[in-house]
Protein backbone atom coordinates (compact mmCIF):
# COMPACT_ATOMS: atom_id res chain seq x y z
CA UNK A 1 0.00 0.00 0.00
CA UNK A 2 2.82 2.40 0.84
CA UNK A 3 4.36 1.73 -2.58
CA UNK A 4 1.24 3.12 -4.28
CA UNK A 5 1.34 6.18 -2.01
CA UNK A 6 5.05 6.67 -2.60
CA UNK A 7 4.83 6.30 -6.40
CA UNK A 8 3.85 9.94 -6.88
CA UNK A 9 6.52 11.46 -4.65
CA UNK A 10 9.36 11.85 -7.17
CA UNK A 11 7.31 13.13 -10.12
CA UNK A 12 5.42 15.68 -8.04
CA UNK A 13 8.53 16.84 -6.20
CA UNK A 14 10.74 17.26 -9.28
CA UNK A 15 8.04 18.79 -11.47
CA UNK A 16 7.30 21.20 -8.61
CA UNK A 17 10.96 22.15 -8.17
CA UNK A 18 11.39 22.74 -11.91
CA UNK A 19 8.15 24.74 -12.10
CA UNK A 20 9.07 26.82 -9.04
CA UNK A 21 12.57 27.52 -10.37
CA UNK A 22 11.28 28.46 -13.79
CA UNK A 23 8.36 30.34 -12.29
CA UNK A 24 10.66 32.55 -10.25
CA UNK A 25 12.04 34.12 -13.45
CA UNK A 26 9.06 36.30 -14.45
CA UNK A 27 8.17 39.17 -12.12
CA UNK A 28 4.47 38.31 -12.23
CA UNK A 29 1.59 40.52 -11.10
CA UNK A 30 2.38 40.17 -7.41
CA UNK A 31 6.16 40.28 -7.55
CA UNK A 32 8.68 37.57 -6.67
CA UNK A 33 8.75 38.18 -2.93
CA UNK A 34 5.01 37.78 -2.47
CA UNK A 35 4.99 34.85 -4.90
CA UNK A 36 7.67 32.97 -2.98
CA UNK A 37 5.99 33.69 0.37
CA UNK A 38 2.63 32.52 -0.99
CA UNK A 39 4.39 29.47 -2.44
CA UNK A 40 5.93 28.65 0.95
CA UNK A 41 2.50 28.83 2.57
CA UNK A 42 1.01 26.65 -0.19
CA UNK A 43 3.89 24.19 0.22
CA UNK A 44 3.16 23.79 3.94
CA UNK A 45 -0.61 23.58 3.50
CA UNK A 46 -0.32 21.09 0.63
CA UNK A 47 2.18 18.89 2.47
CA UNK A 48 0.12 18.85 5.67
CA UNK A 49 -3.15 18.28 3.82
CA UNK A 50 -1.88 15.31 1.84
CA UNK A 51 0.00 13.80 4.79
CA UNK A 52 -3.02 13.94 7.10
CA UNK A 53 -5.78 13.09 4.61
CA UNK A 54 -7.64 9.80 5.12
CA UNK A 55 -5.48 8.60 8.00
CA UNK A 56 -8.50 7.05 9.66
CA UNK A 57 -9.28 4.98 6.58
CA UNK A 58 -5.67 3.82 6.27
CA UNK A 59 -5.57 2.87 9.96
CA UNK A 60 -8.86 0.97 9.75
CA UNK A 61 -7.66 -0.92 6.66
CA UNK A 62 -4.35 -1.75 8.37
CA UNK A 63 -6.12 -3.05 11.49
CA UNK A 64 -8.27 -5.36 9.39
CA UNK A 65 -5.45 -6.69 7.18
CA UNK A 66 -5.72 -10.40 6.43
CA UNK A 67 -2.83 -12.71 5.71
CA UNK A 68 -2.14 -12.82 1.97
CA UNK A 69 -3.43 -16.01 0.42
CA UNK A 70 -2.04 -18.13 -2.32
CA UNK A 71 -4.36 -16.65 -4.94
CA UNK A 72 -3.99 -12.98 -4.02
CA UNK A 73 -2.30 -11.07 -6.83
CA UNK A 74 0.40 -8.80 -5.39
CA UNK A 75 2.62 -6.68 -7.64
CA UNK A 76 6.30 -5.98 -7.64
CA UNK A 77 7.33 -2.51 -6.46
CA UNK A 78 8.68 -1.46 -9.87
CA UNK A 79 5.52 -2.60 -11.66
CA UNK A 80 3.32 -0.69 -9.22
CA UNK A 81 5.34 2.51 -9.59
CA UNK A 82 5.34 2.23 -13.38
CA UNK A 83 1.58 1.63 -13.48
CA UNK A 84 0.89 4.62 -11.21
CA UNK A 85 3.10 6.94 -13.23
CA UNK A 86 1.59 5.82 -16.54
CA UNK A 87 -1.92 6.20 -15.19
CA UNK A 88 -1.28 9.70 -13.88
CA UNK A 89 1.07 11.10 -16.54
CA UNK A 90 -1.54 13.45 -18.02
CA UNK A 91 -2.51 14.78 -14.59
CA UNK A 92 1.15 15.36 -13.79
CA UNK A 93 1.67 17.17 -17.09
CA UNK A 94 -1.46 19.25 -16.57
CA UNK A 95 -0.39 20.16 -13.01
CA UNK A 96 3.06 21.14 -14.21
CA UNK A 97 1.60 23.30 -17.00
CA UNK A 98 -0.77 24.97 -14.54
CA UNK A 99 2.12 25.64 -12.14
CA UNK A 100 4.16 27.22 -14.94
CA UNK A 101 1.19 29.24 -16.17
CA UNK A 102 0.43 30.55 -12.68
CA UNK A 103 3.98 31.95 -12.48
CA UNK A 104 2.89 34.93 -14.57
CA UNK A 105 0.47 35.88 -11.80
CA UNK A 106 2.12 34.59 -8.61
CA UNK A 107 5.76 33.60 -9.30
CA UNK A 108 6.92 30.18 -8.00
CA UNK A 109 3.74 29.52 -5.98
CA UNK A 110 2.28 26.79 -8.21
CA UNK A 111 5.55 24.89 -8.39
CA UNK A 112 5.98 25.07 -4.64
CA UNK A 113 2.47 23.70 -4.20
CA UNK A 114 3.32 20.73 -6.46
CA UNK A 115 6.50 20.10 -4.46
CA UNK A 116 4.45 20.31 -1.26
CA UNK A 117 2.05 17.65 -2.53
CA UNK A 118 5.00 15.37 -3.25
CA UNK A 119 6.40 16.03 0.22
CA UNK A 120 3.02 15.22 1.76
CA UNK A 121 2.93 11.89 -0.06
CA UNK A 122 6.43 11.15 1.23
CA UNK A 123 5.37 11.94 4.80
CA UNK A 124 2.32 9.69 4.41
CA UNK A 125 4.52 6.84 3.13
CA UNK A 126 6.85 7.29 6.12
CA UNK A 127 3.85 7.16 8.46
CA UNK A 128 2.63 3.98 6.74
CA UNK A 129 6.13 2.53 7.13
CA UNK A 130 5.94 3.12 10.88
CA UNK A 131 2.54 1.45 10.91
CA UNK A 132 3.98 -1.53 9.04
CA UNK A 133 6.98 -1.81 11.37
CA UNK A 134 4.75 -1.64 14.43
CA UNK A 135 2.62 -4.50 13.12
CA UNK A 136 5.63 -6.43 11.73
CA UNK A 137 3.81 -6.86 8.42
CA UNK A 138 3.97 -5.34 4.94
CA UNK A 139 0.55 -4.11 3.84
CA UNK A 140 -0.53 -4.81 0.26
CA UNK A 141 -3.53 -3.79 -1.82
CA UNK A 142 -4.77 -6.38 -4.25
CA UNK A 143 -4.08 -5.26 -7.80
CA UNK A 144 -7.65 -5.83 -8.95
CA UNK A 145 -8.92 -3.42 -6.26
CA UNK A 146 -6.83 -0.46 -7.45
CA UNK A 147 -8.45 1.85 -9.98
CA UNK A 148 -7.47 1.63 -13.64
CA UNK A 149 -4.81 4.34 -13.25
CA UNK A 150 -3.06 2.31 -10.55
CA UNK A 151 -3.94 4.62 -7.67
CA UNK A 152 -6.38 5.08 -4.77
CA UNK A 153 -4.94 2.61 -2.25
CA UNK A 154 -7.65 3.54 0.26
CA UNK A 155 -10.49 4.06 -2.23
CA UNK A 156 -14.00 2.63 -2.06
CA UNK A 157 -13.04 -0.41 -4.15
CA UNK A 158 -10.47 -1.49 -1.56
CA UNK A 159 -12.32 -3.83 0.76
CA UNK A 160 -9.30 -4.77 2.83
CA UNK A 161 -5.55 -5.15 2.84
CA UNK A 162 -3.35 -8.20 2.67
CA UNK A 163 -0.37 -8.67 4.91
CA UNK A 164 2.88 -10.53 4.43
CA UNK A 165 6.01 -10.85 6.49
CA UNK A 166 8.25 -7.83 6.79
CA UNK A 167 10.92 -9.44 4.56
CA UNK A 168 8.55 -10.40 1.72
CA UNK A 169 8.76 -8.74 -1.66
CA UNK A 170 11.15 -6.13 -2.97
CA UNK A 171 9.80 -3.21 -0.93
CA UNK A 172 10.82 -2.13 2.54
CA UNK A 173 8.28 -0.78 5.05
CA UNK A 174 7.08 2.58 3.81
CA UNK A 175 7.32 1.62 0.15
CA UNK A 176 11.03 2.31 -0.29
CA UNK A 177 13.22 0.06 -2.38
CA UNK A 178 14.75 -2.70 -0.28
CA UNK A 179 18.47 -2.01 0.11
CA UNK A 180 19.55 -5.57 0.81
CA UNK A 181 18.07 -8.71 -0.70
CA UNK A 182 15.30 -10.28 1.34
CA UNK A 183 16.15 -13.45 3.19
CA UNK A 184 14.07 -16.30 1.88
Amino acid sequence: MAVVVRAGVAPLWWLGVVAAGTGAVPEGLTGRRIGVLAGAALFLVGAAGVALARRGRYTALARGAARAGRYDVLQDRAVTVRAWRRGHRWWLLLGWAAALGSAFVVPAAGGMLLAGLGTGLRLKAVWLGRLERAGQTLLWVRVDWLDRSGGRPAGKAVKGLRGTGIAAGDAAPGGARRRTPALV
Side-chain angles (χ1 to χ4, degrees):
M1 174 166 72
V3 173
V4 179
V5 171
R6 195 180 179 110
V9 171
L12 283 170
W13 169 258
W14 285 111
L15 288 175
V17 167
V18 169
T22 308
V25 173
E27 187 67 30
L29 295 178
T30 61
R32 278 190 203 101
R33 182 170 181 255
I34 291 176
V36 170
L37 289 174
L42 286 173
F43 179 90
L44 293 174
V45 168
V50 169
L52 298 174
R54 301 193 66 147
R55 276 199 178 194
R57 171 84 171 141
Y58 282 99
T59 305
L61 285 171
R63 253 188 265 121
R67 183 109 177 113
R70 177 177 295 210
Y71 299 105
D72 285 333
V73 178
L74 306 174
Q75 270 184 167
D76 227 16
R77 181 188 182 283
V79 174
T80 303
V81 169
R82 192 175 331 118
W84 189 94
R85 290 181 182 170
R86 274 192 192 144
H88 292 85
R89 66 180 168 242
W90 295 111
W91 288 109
L92 291 168
L93 185 62
L94 183 64
W96 185 65
L100 280 178
S102 72
F104 293 105
V105 179
V106 185
M112 292 176 84
L113 174 63
L114 270 181
L117 297 177
T119 302
L121 285 176
R122 173 107 181 180
L123 292 173
K124 183 175 280 195
V126 168
W127 173 75
L128 285 169
R130 285 193 204 119
L131 199 63
E132 289 175 334
R133 279 189 194 91
Q136 287 297 307
T137 182
L138 287 180
L139 300 171
W140 301 79
V141 177
R142 285 182 34 179
V143 176
D144 53 337
W145 288 349
L146 292 173
D147 68 357
R148 55 191 168 102
S149 66
R152 307 201 43 100
K156 288 181 182 181
V158 177
K159 298 165 187 69
L161 297 178
R162 300 296 186 248
T164 60
I166 204 85
D170 63 341
R177 189 176 309 129
R178 189 174 296 283
R179 301 231 188 277
T180 58
L183 300 173
V184 181

